[in-house]
Amino acid sequence: MMVKVAVLCNNRMAIPALQNLYSQGKLCAIGVPADNSDVMDFCVMLAKQSHISLMIIQKENLLDQIDEFVTLCNADFIFTMTFPWKIPDVILNRHPDKFYNFHYGLLPEMRGADPVFESIRSTSSETGITVHRIDNKIDKGAIILKKVIPLNSGMTHGVLCTNLAWLGSGLLPELLNSLQNNIEGQEQDEAKARYYKKPTANDVCISWHHNDAKTIEALSRACNPWNKGAYTQWNGWNIRVVEATVVHYETSQSYSPGTIITLDDKNGLIVKCNNETYLRLDIIYTDEGFMSAYKLLSFGVKKGSSFVSLKSENN
């Protein structure tokens, strides 16, 4: 008998898995939060073409709608893929062994709302997807399947999301086989657990005095494209660093972190960072648009002037 799977999703990372499940005749229903702009159009189109049930879910009606979703779809398993709200305990208790979460990071070390951001920002050497049972505590259920991939040094948030999306689709056969064979999974090691809150405005701001070039470069990638880069400021003007390169720079002069060391079309825009390290800003974003960083010269930015941090330094 063909297994039936329903998916609750909120992000484009679910799309390859949805396509895979649909192509195999296993997808029976989709649930998407109202006002979602990331996957709504795709899910509406897929539902119309395939006659698969689609439920638009309101947070204030979560309990009743999830209960109705379970009843109507009659799925063997329900997968959540970046679904923003916790499944109510009463639903989990009523339907044990039905709900499983795709966590786009490694558990238990990378719990939280955006493990993609944290994995890149912390310069982790690897990441992956952890599929776990959903229980009454967020990201703490028994691990059914974990797939690990290397985290390349040049990978942005957007590129990693795409890689994880396809990884999520590719692991479906192994996952469904495990679930159909009633695999209980492995309990998480709480001694290794860390929880990261959703990134705040402070988390996406550069601290030139506290961070070295490697750390700032990683932050810029972790903020690209969803935040259009990491924030800094010059003369009251907000600038976001989209792409940067750690460079070796020799000078006999002493500069404070944040100081612009070079600014021309040959050498680019190089900034002094903490711990005697240097970063070349390659692409930046301002309200005027995306541009090569050295073009800030035409806006009055000068060599020897300094970027300031918008980050609260006591955090």
Side-chain angles (χ1 to χ4, degrees):
M1 184 176 177
M2 179 73 73
V3 64
K4 296 171 62 178
V5 177
V7 177
L8 297 168
C9 59
N10 188 52
N11 185 285
R12 69 179 180 87
M13 285 191 285
I15 291 177
L18 290 172
Q19 292 173 319
N20 192 352
L21 289 167
Y22 168 65
S23 69
Q24 296 181 43
K26 296 174 182 177
L27 183 65
C28 63
I30 308 170
V32 183
D35 302 320
N36 175 283
S37 60
D38 205 6
V39 294
M40 180 67 77
D41 290 346
F42 173 83
C43 290
V44 169
M45 178 190 67
L46 180 61
K48 286 182 178 179
Q49 291 180 349
S50 62
H51 304 292
I52 289 171
S53 298
L54 173 64
M55 179 173 286
I56 309 303
I57 301 172
Q58 304 279 350
K59 186 177 182 180
E60 58 269 25
N61 300 322
L62 183 64
L63 176 58
D64 290 340
Q65 286 194 285
I66 295 296
D67 190 37
E68 180 183 1
F69 185 78
V70 173
T71 302
L72 291 178
C73 72
N74 193 31
D76 297 293
F77 308 111
I78 298 177
F79 297 155
T80 63
M81 299 178 177
T82 71
F83 193 64
W85 307 312
K86 183 180 180 298
I87 304 300
D89 289 350
V90 64
I91 300 293
L92 296 175
N93 294 335
R94 194 180 298 159
H95 304 282
D97 303 324
K98 187 176 289 287
F99 287 87
Y100 299 86
N101 181 51
F102 279 54
H103 184 79
Y104 295 91
L106 300 180
L107 293 175
E109 299 87 351
M110 200 61 70
R111 291 174 178 171
D114 193 348
V116 174
F117 173 83
E118 293 297 344
S119 296
I120 296 174
R121 179 171 71 160
S122 64
T123 64
S124 299
S125 61
E126 60 184 21
T127 185
I129 293 178
T130 309
V131 183
H132 64 92
R133 293 179 183 273
I134 299 179
D135 60 18
N136 60 357
K137 295 181 179 179
I138 296 175
D139 293 340
K140 290 189 176 183
I143 295 172
I144 305 299
L145 183 64
K146 183 188 292 189
K147 291 293 183 181
V148 179
I149 59 172
L151 182 47
N152 298 329
S153 60
M155 200 168 282
T156 66
H157 193 286
V159 171
L160 181 53
C161 283
T162 297
N163 286 350
L164 291 173
W166 288 104
L167 180 64
S169 174
L171 63 74
L172 285 169
E174 183 178 354
L175 173 63
L176 290 172
N177 182 64
S178 296
L179 294 177
Q180 288 178 288
N181 284 287
N182 301 312
I183 298 297
E184 291 296 323
Q186 182 177 359
E187 295 300 323
Q188 297 186 36
D189 184 352
E190 290 299 318
K192 297 180 179 179
R194 290 198 64 183
Y195 181 84
Y196 297 89
K197 295 181 180 179
K198 184 177 180 179
T200 64
N202 202 53
D203 293 321
V204 298
C205 291
I206 295 170
S207 175
W208 301 103
H209 286 81
H210 285 73
N211 298 141
D212 63 13
K214 181 180 178 182
T215 301
I216 296 172
E217 188 276 334
L219 178 63
S220 71
R221 289 186 288 108
C223 294
N224 179 11
W226 68 275
N227 196 58
K228 296 179 181 176
Y231 278 102
T232 187
Q233 194 176 83
W234 178 85
N235 198 27
W237 186 28
N238 287 340
I239 297 169
R240 285 180 256 189
V241 178
V242 181
E243 185 173 298
T245 304
V246 177
V247 295
H248 177 72
Y249 188 84
E250 293 186 358
T251 178
S252 59
Q253 299 184 37
S254 178
Y255 297 98
S256 297
T259 303
I260 298 172
I261 309 300
T262 70
L263 181 55
D264 55 67
D265 58 358
K266 180 180 179 181
N267 298 298
L269 195 166
I270 297 177
V271 187
K272 168 74 176 294
C273 306
N274 186 35
N275 200 28
E276 299 302 319
T277 58
Y278 296 87
L279 188 69
R280 186 182 70 229
L281 310 191
D282 298 320
I283 300 173
I284 55 98
Y285 174 82
T286 70
D287 288 341
E288 290 72 23
F290 293 93
M291 66 186 81
S292 298
Y294 75 85
K295 291 183 179 179
L296 288 177
L297 189 63
S298 64
F299 290 87
V301 179
K302 300 182 183 300
K303 174 183 174 181
S305 61
S306 296
F307 291 116
V308 298
S309 175
L310 297 174
K311 185 180 180 72
S312 176
E313 299 295 358
N314 58 350
N315 284 357

mmCIF file of all heavy atoms in Angstrom, residues 127-143:
data_model
loop_
_atom_site.group_PDB
_atom_site.id
_atom_site.type_symbol
_atom_site.label_atom_id
_atom_site.label_comp_id
_atom_site.label_asym_id
_atom_site.label_seq_id
_atom_site.Cartn_x
_atom_site.Cartn_y
_atom_site.Cartn_z
ATOM 1 N N THR A 127 27.391 20.881 8.057
ATOM 2 C CA THR A 127 26.009 21.096 8.454
ATOM 3 C C THR A 127 25.192 19.948 7.868
ATOM 4 O O THR A 127 25.745 18.922 7.507
ATOM 5 C CB THR A 127 25.511 22.481 7.980
ATOM 6 O OG1 THR A 127 24.189 22.701 8.484
ATOM 7 C CG2 THR A 127 25.500 22.580 6.467
ATOM 8 N N GLY A 128 23.896 20.112 7.774
ATOM 9 C CA GLY A 128 23.087 19.029 7.228
ATOM 10 C C GLY A 128 21.642 19.154 7.624
ATOM 11 O O GLY A 128 21.158 20.224 7.995
ATOM 12 N N ILE A 129 20.932 18.038 7.537
ATOM 13 C CA ILE A 129 19.525 17.970 7.922
ATOM 14 C C ILE A 129 19.362 16.894 8.980
ATOM 15 O O ILE A 129 19.911 15.796 8.861
ATOM 16 C CB ILE A 129 18.615 17.651 6.721
ATOM 17 C CG1 ILE A 129 18.625 18.814 5.729
ATOM 18 C CG2 ILE A 129 17.185 17.353 7.166
ATOM 19 C CD1 ILE A 129 17.783 18.570 4.488
ATOM 20 N N THR A 130 18.597 17.223 10.006
ATOM 21 C CA THR A 130 18.245 16.260 11.037
ATOM 22 C C THR A 130 16.731 16.105 11.034
ATOM 23 O O THR A 130 16.007 17.089 11.209
ATOM 24 C CB THR A 130 18.692 16.729 12.432
ATOM 25 O OG1 THR A 130 20.077 17.096 12.389
ATOM 26 C CG2 THR A 130 18.489 15.635 13.463
ATOM 27 N N VAL A 131 16.250 14.903 10.803
ATOM 28 C CA VAL A 131 14.816 14.625 10.881
ATOM 29 C C VAL A 131 14.543 13.981 12.232
ATOM 30 O O VAL A 131 15.157 12.968 12.580
ATOM 31 C CB VAL A 131 14.350 13.693 9.749
ATOM 32 C CG1 VAL A 131 12.831 13.479 9.832
ATOM 33 C CG2 VAL A 131 14.731 14.267 8.387
ATOM 34 N N HIS A 132 13.646 14.590 12.992
ATOM 35 C CA HIS A 132 13.380 14.082 14.341
ATOM 36 C C HIS A 132 11.884 14.039 14.628
ATOM 37 O O HIS A 132 11.083 14.752 13.988
ATOM 38 C CB HIS A 132 14.085 14.955 15.391
ATOM 39 C CG HIS A 132 13.581 16.369 15.436
ATOM 40 N ND1 HIS A 132 12.567 16.782 16.270
ATOM 41 C CD2 HIS A 132 13.958 17.477 14.741
ATOM 42 C CE1 HIS A 132 12.337 18.076 16.090
ATOM 43 N NE2 HIS A 132 13.164 18.529 15.166
ATOM 44 N N ARG A 133 11.528 13.206 15.571
ATOM 45 C CA ARG A 133 10.139 13.183 16.044
ATOM 46 C C ARG A 133 9.798 14.537 16.649
ATOM 47 O O ARG A 133 10.644 15.166 17.279
ATOM 48 C CB ARG A 133 9.955 12.106 17.111
ATOM 49 C CG ARG A 133 10.107 10.689 16.620
ATOM 50 C CD ARG A 133 9.930 9.700 17.776
ATOM 51 N NE ARG A 133 10.133 8.341 17.321
ATOM 52 C CZ ARG A 133 9.164 7.583 16.796
ATOM 53 N NH1 ARG A 133 7.935 8.079 16.714
ATOM 54 N NH2 ARG A 133 9.416 6.366 16.384
ATOM 55 N N ILE A 134 8.576 14.960 16.487
ATOM 56 C CA ILE A 134 8.131 16.185 17.138
ATOM 57 C C ILE A 134 7.493 15.811 18.464
ATOM 58 O O ILE A 134 6.560 15.000 18.521
ATOM 59 C CB ILE A 134 7.125 16.951 16.263
ATOM 60 C CG1 ILE A 134 7.779 17.359 14.942
ATOM 61 C CG2 ILE A 134 6.608 18.180 16.999
ATOM 62 C CD1 ILE A 134 6.848 18.098 13.998
ATOM 63 N N ASP A 135 8.036 16.381 19.539
ATOM 64 C CA ASP A 135 7.422 16.178 20.848
ATOM 65 C C ASP A 135 7.093 17.541 21.438
ATOM 66 O O ASP A 135 7.067 18.542 20.723
ATOM 67 C CB ASP A 135 8.310 15.326 21.760
ATOM 68 C CG ASP A 135 9.666 15.944 22.027
ATOM 69 O OD1 ASP A 135 9.827 17.171 21.807
ATOM 70 O OD2 ASP A 135 10.584 15.219 22.456
ATOM 71 N N ASN A 136 6.835 17.588 22.728
ATOM 72 C CA ASN A 136 6.349 18.839 23.325
ATOM 73 C C ASN A 136 7.449 19.869 23.591
ATOM 74 O O ASN A 136 7.168 20.953 24.087
ATOM 75 C CB ASN A 136 5.581 18.555 24.619
ATOM 76 C CG ASN A 136 6.443 17.859 25.668
ATOM 77 O OD1 ASN A 136 7.604 17.540 25.403
ATOM 78 N ND2 ASN A 136 5.884 17.625 26.827
ATOM 79 N N LYS A 137 8.701 19.556 23.231
ATOM 80 C CA LYS A 137 9.798 20.511 23.377
ATOM 81 C C LYS A 137 10.458 20.717 22.021
ATOM 82 O O LYS A 137 10.737 19.767 21.309
ATOM 83 C CB LYS A 137 10.820 20.003 24.406
ATOM 84 C CG LYS A 137 10.245 19.911 25.821
ATOM 85 C CD LYS A 137 11.281 19.423 26.813
ATOM 86 C CE LYS A 137 10.705 19.346 28.223
ATOM 87 N NZ LYS A 137 11.697 18.837 29.208
ATOM 88 N N ILE A 138 10.724 21.962 21.687
ATOM 89 C CA ILE A 138 11.210 22.321 20.362
ATOM 90 C C ILE A 138 12.602 21.730 20.080
ATOM 91 O O ILE A 138 13.525 21.881 20.888
ATOM 92 C CB ILE A 138 11.246 23.851 20.201
ATOM 93 C CG1 ILE A 138 9.820 24.409 20.280
ATOM 94 C CG2 ILE A 138 11.894 24.256 18.876
ATOM 95 C CD1 ILE A 138 9.748 25.911 20.248
ATOM 96 N N ASP A 139 12.706 21.044 18.943
ATOM 97 C CA ASP A 139 13.977 20.486 18.437
ATOM 98 C C ASP A 139 14.596 19.435 19.355
ATOM 99 O O ASP A 139 15.810 19.187 19.291
ATOM 100 C CB ASP A 139 15.006 21.602 18.194
ATOM 101 C CG ASP A 139 14.605 22.535 17.064
ATOM 102 O OD1 ASP A 139 13.771 22.139 16.239
ATOM 103 O OD2 ASP A 139 15.135 23.664 17.018
ATOM 104 N N LYS A 140 13.800 18.791 20.205
ATOM 105 C CA LYS A 140 14.362 17.850 21.172
ATOM 106 C C LYS A 140 13.936 16.400 20.951
ATOM 107 O O LYS A 140 14.367 15.512 21.688
ATOM 108 C CB LYS A 140 13.994 18.274 22.596
ATOM 109 C CG LYS A 140 14.698 19.543 23.052
ATOM 110 C CD LYS A 140 14.482 19.793 24.542
ATOM 111 C CE LYS A 140 15.255 21.003 25.025
ATOM 112 N NZ LYS A 140 15.121 21.219 26.486
ATOM 113 N N GLY A 141 13.127 16.127 19.948
ATOM 114 C CA GLY A 141 12.643 14.769 19.732
ATOM 115 C C GLY A 141 13.724 13.818 19.259
ATOM 116 O O GLY A 141 14.803 14.230 18.795
ATOM 117 N N ALA A 142 13.446 12.532 19.366
ATOM 118 C CA ALA A 142 14.396 11.500 18.947
ATOM 119 C C ALA A 142 14.743 11.650 17.466
ATOM 120 O O ALA A 142 13.878 11.920 16.628
ATOM 121 C CB ALA A 142 13.817 10.117 19.217
ATOM 122 N N ILE A 143 16.020 11.476 17.152
ATOM 123 C CA ILE A 143 16.509 11.646 15.778
ATOM 124 C C ILE A 143 16.264 10.365 14.975
ATOM 125 O O ILE A 143 16.732 9.286 15.336
ATOM 126 C CB ILE A 143 18.000 11.998 15.778
ATOM 127 C CG1 ILE A 143 18.222 13.365 16.435
ATOM 128 C CG2 ILE A 143 18.558 11.991 14.348
ATOM 129 C CD1 ILE A 143 19.682 13.720 16.651
#
